[in-house]
Amino acid sequence: MSPADTPSVRIDLDDYAYTCRLSRSRWAWEFLRRNSEFRQAALRAGDSQISEKPACHGIRLLRPLCDQIDAEKFGLVFFPDIDANGYEADVFWIPALYARALTMQVVPRHPSERDDIFDQTINVCEVTHLTDCVGREYLMIRGHGHSIQVACSGLSLLSVEPVRMKLIIDNVSSMDETLKVIGKAQRILGKDDSSFNDTWTRSSLAFRNALIALDAYETGLTYFETAAIIYGEDRATEAWQSPSRAMKDEMRRALVRGRELRDGGYRDLLTAQT
């Protein structure tokens, strides 16, 4: 591949490093925001349909100003910024599609009583509060490179009366799933622990490679150029010159998988808890 063959749009593996920490629900957003039909619908809606106000402790308050029927067709409470990545985007999935594992039950609090969950959250996290069109409340909590959507039940967090939050873990069927949910909450709400190192799993690497293959194809790159991004040019060249088709087939499968997830398969990722 000569310099003259190099496309003007550069895709760098480091640009995808942040995806190592994404949950499946945030991977779903990464693929959905690459869907041309979705992008067109979001652009038609614009950002004037959402009210955003600051609150105490740096909390952002979001509320749709009108029905979000078009966004709901894609499984969203409203259209977030389509250019924001899986960590930064204000992505709230509708309850019918997203099987949540974490719920905050809001209960009365005596004025002298502390709300430890709230205190810990605002000390280490960025918090976004959303009230949807029918009055349901959600939180988006971001911390240490992780983000999680939490449903709220019981009293309103915006109540003038003192309230506190109780963490509820639901929609899990095994102890292993429960421990994963607790671990994720610790990574977000706890101190930045060195034991929570970025570690690529087999599934997260597959998602990343599918995303790269999709982006590479859309910018006109070949399977070889896609492999060079993922594995380096030397390894890709060696694979292309060998009689084996393993890496070539891997790039083809990655693109197929990326298209499937972009064109509706992202919904399947929302049934997982991790």
Side-chain angles (χ1 to χ4, degrees):
M1 182 171 60
S2 66
D5 297 327
T6 303
S8 58
V9 178
R10 179 175 176 79
I11 297 177
D12 195 297
L13 187 63
D14 290 341
D15 294 338
Y16 298 83
Y18 74 93
T19 63
C20 181
R21 294 187 174 191
L22 295 184
S23 64
R24 287 177 177 259
S25 65
R26 309 306 284 188
W27 275 114
W29 167 248
E30 287 289 359
F31 287 101
L32 173 59
R33 74 188 182 103
R34 286 162 167 81
N35 181 292
S36 59
E37 180 184 354
F38 167 74
R39 293 182 70 86
Q40 291 170 8
L43 290 172
R44 287 195 301 270
D47 57 6
S48 61
Q49 296 182 330
I50 303 298
S51 167
E52 178 175 344
K53 297 179 180 179
C56 58
H57 308 293
I59 298 173
R60 298 162 58 229
L61 302 179
L62 303 181
R63 181 188 291 267
L65 297 174
C66 57
D67 289 340
Q68 300 291 311
I69 297 175
D70 289 339
E72 291 173 2
K73 292 177 182 177
F74 296 95
L76 294 165
V77 177
F78 68 93
F79 286 113
D81 179 357
I82 57 177
D83 294 320
N85 66 39
Y87 176 72
E88 298 171 344
D90 294 322
V91 179
F92 290 88
W93 302 103
I94 60 175
L97 184 62
Y98 183 35
R100 298 177 186 83
L102 287 180
T103 299
M104 292 292 186
Q105 184 179 18
V106 184
V107 298
R109 174 177 63 86
H110 190 275
S112 63
E113 186 180 11
R114 288 174 55 93
D115 185 349
D116 292 333
I117 294 179
F118 178 79
D119 292 342
Q120 177 71 2
T121 301
I122 62 172
N123 283 334
V124 300
C125 300
E126 298 176 17
V127 181
T128 301
H129 175 279
L130 169 71
T131 304
D132 70 11
C133 293
V134 295
R136 291 175 297 215
E137 296 181 35
Y138 313 82
L139 294 176
M140 179 63 63
I141 303 174
R142 299 181 178 91
H144 307 137
H146 299 271
S147 59
I148 189 170
Q149 175 181 333
V150 180
C152 300
S153 65
L155 300 177
S156 171
L157 281 170
L158 305 180
S159 172
V160 295
E161 300 297 329
V163 296
R164 64 183 178 91
M165 296 185 290
K166 297 173 63 177
L167 187 64
I168 299 174
I169 299 176
D170 53 17
N171 293 328
V172 292
S173 58
S174 69
M175 180 59 69
D176 286 344
E177 289 183 9
T178 301
L179 292 175
K180 286 181 181 179
V181 173
I182 294 173
K184 184 173 183 180
Q186 286 179 320
R187 289 192 290 274
I188 297 174
L189 301 175
K191 296 180 179 179
D192 198 2
D193 193 328
S194 60
S195 65
F196 299 138
N197 293 325
D198 290 344
T199 303
W200 289 101
T201 64
R202 184 174 180 179
S203 60
S204 62
L205 278 175
F207 289 142
R208 185 203 66 179
N209 293 350
L211 203 64
I212 293 174
L214 195 58
D215 290 345
Y217 177 82
E218 293 300 323
T219 55
L221 300 185
T222 64
Y223 285 146
F224 169 77
E225 291 165 327
T226 303
I229 294 169
I230 296 172
Y231 293 110
E233 191 166 338
D234 290 344
R235 187 173 170 187
T237 299
E238 180 182 355
W240 250 250
Q241 292 176 348
S242 76
S244 172
R245 290 192 51 85
M247 189 176 290
K248 298 175 185 177
D249 290 340
E250 180 186 344
M251 295 303 102
R252 177 183 56 80
R253 289 194 300 270
L255 179 57
V256 170
R257 181 59 171 151
R259 286 170 167 168
E260 290 175 345
L261 290 167
R262 177 195 64 190
D263 298 337
Y266 70 89
R267 292 172 179 267
D268 296 334
L269 301 182
L270 299 174
T271 61
Q273 302 295 340
T274 56

